[in-house]
Amino acid sequence: MKLTAFITGATSGIGKATAEIFAKNNIRLILCGRRAERLQELKKQLGKFTEVTTLQFDVSKRDEVEKAIKSIPENFKQIDVLINNAGNAHGLSAIQDGAIDDWDAMLDINVKGLLYVSKAIIPQMTARKSGFIVNIGSIAGKEVYPNGNVYCASKHAVNALNKAMRLDLNKHNIRVAGIHPGAVETEFSDVRFKGDTAKAKQVYTGYKALQANDIADIIYFVITRPYHVNIEDLVVYPTAQASATILNKA
Ligand code: NDP
Ligand code: 8X3
Protein backbone atom coordinates (compact mmCIF):
# COMPACT_ATOMS: atom_id res chain seq x y z
CA MET A 1 0.00 0.00 0.00
CA LYS A 2 1.33 3.44 -0.92
CA LEU A 3 1.95 5.62 2.14
CA THR A 4 1.09 9.31 2.42
CA ALA A 5 3.41 11.51 4.50
CA PHE A 6 2.81 15.02 5.82
CA ILE A 7 6.10 16.85 6.39
CA THR A 8 6.34 20.22 8.14
CA GLY A 9 9.40 22.35 7.43
CA ALA A 10 9.85 20.70 4.03
CA THR A 11 11.35 23.78 2.34
CA SER A 12 14.83 23.36 3.81
CA GLY A 13 17.31 21.15 5.64
CA ILE A 14 16.09 17.97 7.32
CA GLY A 15 12.50 18.30 6.09
CA LYS A 16 13.54 18.83 2.48
CA ALA A 17 15.98 15.90 2.55
CA THR A 18 13.24 13.73 4.06
CA ALA A 19 10.84 14.76 1.30
CA GLU A 20 13.47 13.79 -1.28
CA ILE A 21 14.13 10.31 0.12
CA PHE A 22 10.42 9.67 0.64
CA ALA A 23 9.65 10.73 -2.95
CA LYS A 24 12.33 8.44 -4.35
CA ASN A 25 10.72 5.61 -2.40
CA ASN A 26 7.29 6.32 -3.82
CA ILE A 27 5.69 7.87 -0.74
CA ARG A 28 2.91 10.34 -1.53
CA LEU A 29 3.78 13.77 -0.11
CA ILE A 30 2.09 16.70 1.55
CA LEU A 31 4.85 19.28 1.86
CA CYS A 32 4.52 22.27 4.18
CA GLY A 33 6.35 25.51 4.85
CA ARG A 34 5.97 29.28 4.61
CA ARG A 35 8.13 29.86 1.51
CA ALA A 36 5.79 29.39 -1.45
CA GLU A 37 8.44 29.47 -4.16
CA ARG A 38 10.39 26.67 -2.55
CA LEU A 39 7.24 24.61 -2.17
CA GLN A 40 6.48 25.05 -5.87
CA GLU A 41 10.01 24.06 -6.84
CA LEU A 42 9.83 20.95 -4.66
CA LYS A 43 6.49 19.99 -6.19
CA LYS A 44 8.04 20.29 -9.63
CA GLN A 45 11.16 18.29 -8.74
CA LEU A 46 9.64 15.57 -6.56
CA GLY A 47 6.51 15.31 -8.69
CA LYS A 48 8.72 13.33 -11.10
CA PHE A 49 8.78 10.51 -8.53
CA THR A 50 5.46 10.61 -6.68
CA GLU A 51 2.24 12.60 -6.14
CA VAL A 52 2.99 15.84 -4.32
CA THR A 53 0.74 18.51 -2.90
CA THR A 54 1.90 21.56 -0.97
CA LEU A 55 0.47 23.62 1.88
CA GLN A 56 1.78 27.08 2.64
CA PHE A 57 1.15 28.04 6.25
CA ASP A 58 2.82 29.17 9.44
CA VAL A 59 2.66 26.35 12.02
CA SER A 60 2.45 28.88 14.84
CA LYS A 61 -0.82 30.35 13.52
CA ARG A 62 -3.61 28.11 14.68
CA ASP A 63 -6.17 29.35 12.12
CA GLU A 64 -3.74 28.88 9.25
CA VAL A 65 -2.91 25.34 10.39
CA GLU A 66 -6.57 24.32 10.65
CA LYS A 67 -7.49 25.94 7.32
CA ALA A 68 -4.53 24.41 5.48
CA ILE A 69 -5.17 20.91 6.78
CA LYS A 70 -8.87 21.12 5.92
CA SER A 71 -7.89 22.08 2.35
CA ILE A 72 -5.89 18.89 1.66
CA PRO A 73 -7.08 17.34 -1.64
CA GLU A 74 -9.19 14.20 -1.28
CA ASN A 75 -6.56 11.77 -2.61
CA PHE A 76 -4.04 12.98 0.02
CA LYS A 77 -6.45 13.07 2.96
CA GLN A 78 -5.42 9.77 4.58
CA ILE A 79 -2.17 10.65 6.33
CA ASP A 80 -0.12 7.61 7.34
CA VAL A 81 3.03 9.41 8.47
CA LEU A 82 3.33 12.81 10.14
CA ILE A 83 6.81 14.30 10.37
CA ASN A 84 6.74 17.13 12.92
CA ASN A 85 9.93 18.83 11.81
CA ALA A 86 9.29 22.58 11.40
CA GLY A 87 11.26 24.56 13.93
CA ASN A 88 14.27 26.74 14.53
CA ALA A 89 16.35 28.46 17.18
CA HIS A 90 16.07 32.25 17.30
CA GLY A 91 19.06 33.83 19.02
CA LEU A 92 21.69 32.47 21.41
CA SER A 93 22.14 34.58 24.50
CA ALA A 94 22.08 34.47 28.27
CA ILE A 95 18.62 34.37 29.81
CA GLN A 96 18.90 37.96 31.09
CA ASP A 97 19.77 39.21 27.58
CA GLY A 98 17.27 37.21 25.53
CA ALA A 99 14.74 38.94 23.27
CA ILE A 100 11.15 38.19 24.22
CA ASP A 101 10.15 38.11 20.53
CA ASP A 102 12.69 35.30 20.03
CA TRP A 103 11.30 33.40 23.01
CA ASP A 104 7.76 33.77 21.67
CA ALA A 105 8.85 32.56 18.22
CA MET A 106 10.57 29.44 19.58
CA LEU A 107 7.75 28.44 21.90
CA ASP A 108 5.06 29.29 19.35
CA ILE A 109 6.71 27.44 16.46
CA ASN A 110 8.60 24.56 18.06
CA VAL A 111 6.03 23.65 20.70
CA LYS A 112 2.62 25.13 19.90
CA GLY A 113 3.07 24.67 16.14
CA LEU A 114 3.83 20.98 16.65
CA LEU A 115 0.73 20.70 18.83
CA TYR A 116 -1.58 22.50 16.38
CA VAL A 117 -0.49 20.28 13.50
CA SER A 118 -0.70 17.10 15.60
CA LYS A 119 -4.14 18.01 16.92
CA ALA A 120 -5.44 18.42 13.37
CA ILE A 121 -4.06 15.08 12.17
CA ILE A 122 -4.18 12.66 15.11
CA PRO A 123 -8.00 12.15 15.08
CA GLN A 124 -7.92 10.48 11.66
CA MET A 125 -5.14 8.19 12.92
CA THR A 126 -7.03 7.20 16.09
CA ALA A 127 -10.15 6.59 13.99
CA ARG A 128 -8.22 4.25 11.69
CA LYS A 129 -6.15 2.76 14.52
CA SER A 130 -3.01 3.30 12.51
CA GLY A 131 -0.42 5.98 11.83
CA PHE A 132 3.12 7.07 12.57
CA ILE A 133 4.21 10.35 14.13
CA VAL A 134 7.89 11.30 14.04
CA ASN A 135 8.83 14.26 16.21
CA ILE A 136 12.11 15.99 15.43
CA GLY A 137 13.56 17.02 18.78
CA SER A 138 17.20 17.85 19.38
CA ILE A 139 20.02 17.15 21.76
CA ALA A 140 18.81 20.51 23.11
CA GLY A 141 15.83 18.52 24.37
CA LYS A 142 18.08 16.11 26.23
CA GLU A 143 20.46 18.58 27.85
CA VAL A 144 20.70 22.33 28.47
CA TYR A 145 23.70 24.32 27.30
CA PRO A 146 24.81 27.86 28.14
CA ASN A 147 22.78 30.52 26.26
CA GLY A 148 20.48 27.86 24.82
CA ASN A 149 17.83 28.44 27.52
CA VAL A 150 14.52 28.92 25.67
CA TYR A 151 15.44 26.85 22.59
CA CYS A 152 16.43 24.04 25.00
CA ALA A 153 13.15 24.50 26.87
CA SER A 154 11.21 24.25 23.60
CA LYS A 155 12.99 21.03 22.64
CA HIS A 156 12.59 19.58 26.15
CA ALA A 157 8.88 20.18 25.56
CA VAL A 158 9.10 18.29 22.25
CA ASN A 159 10.83 15.43 24.08
CA ALA A 160 8.05 15.39 26.70
CA LEU A 161 5.32 15.55 24.05
CA ASN A 162 6.94 12.70 22.15
CA LYS A 163 6.78 10.54 25.29
CA ALA A 164 3.24 11.75 26.04
CA MET A 165 2.06 10.83 22.54
CA ARG A 166 3.58 7.36 22.94
CA LEU A 167 1.60 6.85 26.13
CA ASP A 168 -1.71 8.31 25.02
CA LEU A 169 -1.73 6.84 21.51
CA ASN A 170 -0.54 3.40 22.55
CA LYS A 171 -4.06 1.99 22.81
CA HIS A 172 -4.82 3.35 19.35
CA ASN A 173 -2.04 1.33 17.69
CA ILE A 174 -0.19 4.49 16.60
CA ARG A 175 3.57 4.54 16.40
CA VAL A 176 5.46 7.55 17.77
CA ALA A 177 9.19 8.22 17.43
CA GLY A 178 11.46 11.04 18.56
CA ILE A 179 14.68 11.78 16.68
CA HIS A 180 17.13 14.10 18.40
CA PRO A 181 20.03 15.30 16.25
CA GLY A 182 23.20 17.05 17.28
CA ALA A 183 24.77 19.53 14.86
CA VAL A 184 23.27 19.28 11.35
CA GLU A 185 24.54 21.64 8.65
CA THR A 186 21.36 23.31 7.38
CA GLU A 187 19.90 26.83 7.41
CA PHE A 188 19.39 26.34 11.16
CA SER A 189 22.33 28.53 12.23
CA ASP A 190 21.53 31.21 9.62
CA VAL A 191 18.14 31.52 11.28
CA ARG A 192 19.57 31.37 14.82
CA PHE A 193 22.06 34.14 14.03
CA LYS A 194 19.55 36.12 11.95
CA GLY A 195 21.45 36.01 8.68
CA ASP A 196 24.97 36.51 10.11
CA THR A 197 26.43 33.98 7.69
CA ALA A 198 29.99 34.16 9.06
CA LYS A 199 28.77 33.26 12.54
CA ALA A 200 26.53 30.54 11.14
CA LYS A 201 29.36 29.02 9.09
CA GLN A 202 31.58 28.93 12.15
CA VAL A 203 29.20 26.46 13.81
CA TYR A 204 30.03 23.85 11.17
CA THR A 205 33.75 24.45 10.62
CA GLY A 206 36.64 22.35 11.93
CA TYR A 207 34.73 19.03 11.87
CA LYS A 208 32.29 17.09 9.73
CA ALA A 209 28.78 18.02 10.84
CA LEU A 210 25.78 15.81 10.15
CA GLN A 211 24.13 16.54 6.81
CA ALA A 212 20.37 16.80 6.38
CA ASN A 213 20.26 13.55 4.40
CA ASP A 214 21.96 11.68 7.28
CA ILE A 215 18.88 12.42 9.40
CA ALA A 216 16.49 11.86 6.49
CA ASP A 217 17.96 8.35 5.96
CA ILE A 218 17.30 7.57 9.61
CA ILE A 219 13.74 8.89 9.44
CA TYR A 220 13.12 6.72 6.39
CA PHE A 221 14.58 3.68 8.19
CA VAL A 222 12.41 4.33 11.26
CA ILE A 223 9.15 4.62 9.32
CA THR A 224 9.81 1.57 7.15
CA ARG A 225 10.20 -1.01 9.95
CA PRO A 226 7.45 -3.63 10.12
CA TYR A 227 4.35 -2.22 11.82
CA HIS A 228 4.97 -4.08 15.10
CA VAL A 229 8.37 -2.34 15.48
CA ASN A 230 8.50 1.15 17.01
CA ILE A 231 11.86 2.87 17.47
CA GLU A 232 10.88 5.32 20.17
CA ASP A 233 13.91 7.54 20.67
CA LEU A 234 17.13 8.16 18.81
CA VAL A 235 19.94 10.61 19.62
CA VAL A 236 22.20 11.19 16.63
CA TYR A 237 25.52 13.03 16.83
CA PRO A 238 28.25 13.74 14.31
CA THR A 239 31.22 11.56 15.25
CA ALA A 240 33.11 14.69 16.32
CA GLN A 241 30.44 15.66 18.86
CA ALA A 242 30.06 14.15 22.34
CA SER A 243 27.55 16.58 23.86
CA ALA A 244 26.02 19.97 23.05
CA THR A 245 29.24 21.63 24.20
CA ILE A 246 31.95 19.03 23.44
CA LEU A 247 33.05 19.16 19.83
CA ASN A 248 36.34 17.72 18.61
CA LYS A 249 37.20 20.60 16.25
CA ALA A 250 40.42 20.73 14.27
P1 NDP B 1 16.21 24.71 8.57
O1 NDP B 1 16.26 26.13 9.05
O2 NDP B 1 17.04 24.33 7.41
O3 NDP B 1 14.70 24.30 8.29
C1 NDP B 1 13.65 24.70 9.13
C2 NDP B 1 12.33 24.39 8.45
O4 NDP B 1 11.26 24.75 9.34
C3 NDP B 1 12.14 25.19 7.16
O5 NDP B 1 11.58 24.36 6.18
C4 NDP B 1 11.17 26.28 7.56
O6 NDP B 1 10.33 26.59 6.46
C5 NDP B 1 10.33 25.57 8.64
N1 NDP B 1 9.74 26.54 9.55
C6 NDP B 1 10.37 27.35 10.43
N2 NDP B 1 9.49 28.15 11.06
C7 NDP B 1 8.26 27.82 10.56
C8 NDP B 1 6.95 28.30 10.79
N3 NDP B 1 6.70 29.28 11.66
N4 NDP B 1 5.92 27.74 10.11
C9 NDP B 1 6.14 26.77 9.21
N5 NDP B 1 7.36 26.26 8.95
C10 NDP B 1 8.41 26.80 9.61
O7 NDP B 1 16.60 23.83 9.85
P2 NDP B 1 16.72 22.25 10.09
O8 NDP B 1 16.36 21.48 8.91
O9 NDP B 1 18.03 22.02 10.71
O10 NDP B 1 15.62 22.10 11.23
C11 NDP B 1 14.57 21.15 11.19
C12 NDP B 1 14.27 20.69 12.60
O11 NDP B 1 15.41 20.03 13.13
C13 NDP B 1 13.94 21.82 13.57
O12 NDP B 1 12.87 21.41 14.41
C14 NDP B 1 15.23 21.98 14.37
O13 NDP B 1 14.99 22.49 15.65
C15 NDP B 1 15.69 20.53 14.42
N6 NDP B 1 17.10 20.33 14.69
C16 NDP B 1 18.08 20.90 13.92
C17 NDP B 1 19.41 20.68 14.21
C18 NDP B 1 20.53 21.33 13.46
O14 NDP B 1 21.67 21.35 13.98
N7 NDP B 1 20.30 21.83 12.25
C19 NDP B 1 19.79 19.79 15.31
C20 NDP B 1 18.70 19.27 16.07
C21 NDP B 1 17.41 19.50 15.74
P3 NDP B 1 9.83 28.05 6.03
O15 NDP B 1 10.89 29.02 6.46
O16 NDP B 1 9.64 27.95 4.55
O17 NDP B 1 8.55 28.22 6.75
C1 8X3 C 1 20.15 22.05 17.18
C2 8X3 C 1 21.37 21.55 17.84
O1 8X3 C 1 23.09 22.04 19.66
O2 8X3 C 1 22.38 23.92 18.29
O3 8X3 C 1 19.00 21.65 17.84
O4 8X3 C 1 20.92 22.99 19.95
S1 8X3 C 1 21.96 22.68 19.00
Side-chain angles (χ1 to χ4, degrees):
M1 188 200 73
K2 185 160 179 166
L3 295 174
T4 300
F6 184 107
I7 304 177
T8 67
T11 54
S12 169
I14 295 169
K16 180 168 182 267
T18 304
E20 286 164 354
I21 189 170
F22 280 15
K24 286 171 190 157
N25 286 282
N26 201 31
I27 296 176
R28 194 182 287 113
L29 291 173
I30 304 163
L31 302 180
C32 312
R34 291 166 302 179
R35 285 171 285 183
E37 250 177 53
R38 288 195 183 197
L39 288 172
Q40 283 323 304
E41 184 54 31
L42 275 169
K43 187 174 177 176
K44 198 168 133 202
Q45 290 307 320
L46 302 185
K48 293 173 190 155
F49 302 99
T50 187
E51 300 101 304
V52 180
T53 193
T54 60
L55 295 177
Q56 186 203 5
F57 65 94
D58 182 331
V59 292
S60 70
K61 306 238 161 72
R62 189 172 154 187
D63 295 351
E64 284 188 28
V65 174
E66 288 167 1
K67 207 170 141 204
I69 292 175
K70 279 197 186 113
S71 78
I72 294 173
E74 205 52 49
N75 53 328
F76 289 84
K77 269 204 159 53
Q78 180 181 314
I79 297 164
D80 304 294
V81 181
L82 164 61
I83 309 290
N84 274 324
N85 164 73
N88 275 118
H90 296 263
L92 180 72
S93 52
I95 194 86
Q96 66 277 19
D97 300 325
I100 293 177
D101 284 348
D102 285 343
W103 296 355
D104 282 343
M106 289 186 279
L107 296 171
D108 287 351
I109 298 166
N110 302 355
V111 185
K112 289 165 73 182
L114 179 147
L115 284 169
Y116 296 155
V117 171
S118 301
K119 175 74 177 162
I121 292 175
I122 287 172
Q124 59 156 282
M125 293 183 170
T126 54
R128 285 198 313 272
K129 298 269 181 246
S130 114
F132 204 146
I133 302 170
V134 179
N135 295 306
I136 306 302
S138 168
I139 53 162
K142 299 287 186 181
E143 58 177 303
V144 179
Y145 53 85
N147 303 323
N149 43 69
V150 178
Y151 179 66
C152 295
S154 76
K155 288 297 182 176
H156 273 66
V158 173
N159 190 37
L161 289 170
N162 183 64
K163 290 181 188 171
M165 287 183 190
R166 270 291 293 144
L167 300 180
D168 294 348
L169 299 175
N170 167 265
K171 61 175 171 293
H172 297 286
N173 195 38
I174 294 169
R175 298 195 282 180
V176 181
I179 298 177
H180 308 276
V184 191
E185 192 171 359
T186 62
E187 293 174 13
F188 176 86
S189 291
D190 288 314
V191 176
R192 168 169 259 174
F193 297 118
K194 303 172 196 298
D196 183 337
T197 45
K199 225 171 171 178
K201 209 166 165 213
Q202 190 58 33
V203 174
Y204 308 112
T205 47
Y207 70 107
K208 176 74 179 170
L210 291 168
Q211 303 298 299
N213 60 353
D214 295 322
I215 301 300
D217 277 348
I218 291 167
I219 295 171
Y220 180 69
F221 177 81
V222 166
I223 66 137
T224 51
R225 294 311 85 212
Y227 203 86
H228 67 282
V229 179
N230 189 114
I231 298 170
E232 199 225 338
D233 209 44
L234 288 175
V235 177
V236 187
Y237 282 116
T239 303
Q241 187 171 25
S243 77
T245 51
I246 299 177
L247 258 172
N248 183 21
K249 283 202 182 200

